[in-house]
Amino acid sequence: MRFLLVEDNQNLAEAVSTRLAMDGHAIDMAGSLGEAQDYLAYSSYDIVLLDLTLPDGDGRRFLGQCRAAGNDVPVIAVTAQSDVSSRVEVLDAGADDYISKPVNFAELEARCRAVLRRRGGASHNVQQFADLEFDPLRAEVKVAGEPRELRNREMRLLEIFFSGPDRIYSKVQIGDRLFSSAEEISENVIEVYVARLRKKLDGSRAQIETVRGLGYRLSERG
């Protein structure tokens, strides 16, 4: 997944970013609402982690403006306020969920998965395509019931394809979701990761198909 972390506490931002990066996620960090607005204007994200108290304004107002403008990116509010009225206000402003400070990383990751499941209309973690099973919660992949070992970024690449089976993803779209803005990437890098993932899925009826001139898609072998 690709995250936008909006947090002005540098220590907390780096701790959250480091933890998410360890699991293969890509993270862009914004220290103010102005920076967050710039990121959202030019990049797409799977989830925004939004602190509510920023140097240049209130995260709730910012969230309300985003929703009014038609931006429906999933947002998890990160708040130091634990009273019920504050949590209700955050959800009414358009947040998909919230998490209280200090942040528990296991809870944060679980809430992220839950938000994406709800957005996708799913009620469980295990996803299936052809004879391929993918469980992002346990970081497990099986081909016809046989476990396959994937590295973190290979797992995130598979997650991208599972978010839209049969949908074509260009190299630009894959790079945008797999890497942060600070990372320098090339088309060759995308090709390398796709080749690695194909090798790990060898023997499956599911395949990462090259659509010449357009990109790649997860499809079932005919």
Side-chain angles (χ1 to χ4, degrees), residues 18-147:
T18 298
R19 175 57 182 264
L20 293 173
M22 287 174 60
D23 290 331
H25 301 296
I27 308 95
D28 287 328
M29 294 190 293
S32 67
L33 296 177
E35 289 182 31
Q37 188 62 58
D38 290 340
Y39 275 116
L40 289 172
Y42 295 103
S43 300
S44 59
Y45 296 92
D46 295 296
I47 287 185
V48 174
L49 302 177
L50 176 65
D51 185 22
L52 297 183
T53 307
L54 280 303
D56 55 345
D58 189 305
R60 283 162 293 208
R61 183 177 180 184
F62 173 79
L63 176 57
Q65 292 171 341
C66 287
R67 295 304 189 225
N71 190 328
D72 65 348
V73 61
V75 174
I76 295 179
V78 183
T79 175
Q81 301 171 332
S82 58
D83 58 285
V84 173
S85 61
S86 296
R87 297 199 298 267
V88 169
E89 187 178 354
V90 167
L91 295 172
D92 283 344
D96 293 84
D97 202 349
Y98 64 86
I99 188 168
S100 299
K101 295 180 180 179
V103 175
N104 179 285
F105 294 117
E107 180 187 3
L108 174 60
E109 293 176 341
R111 288 184 180 274
C112 289
R113 290 189 295 267
V115 164
L116 293 179
R117 285 200 306 272
R118 290 198 298 270
R119 285 294 189 109
S123 59
H124 52 82
N125 289 299
V126 180
Q127 304 171 55
Q128 188 158 4
F129 184 83
D131 60 351
L132 184 61
E133 287 186 12
F134 176 48
D135 185 347
L137 173 60
R138 301 177 182 275
E140 292 179 350
V141 176
K142 295 180 180 179
V143 172
E146 175 192 346

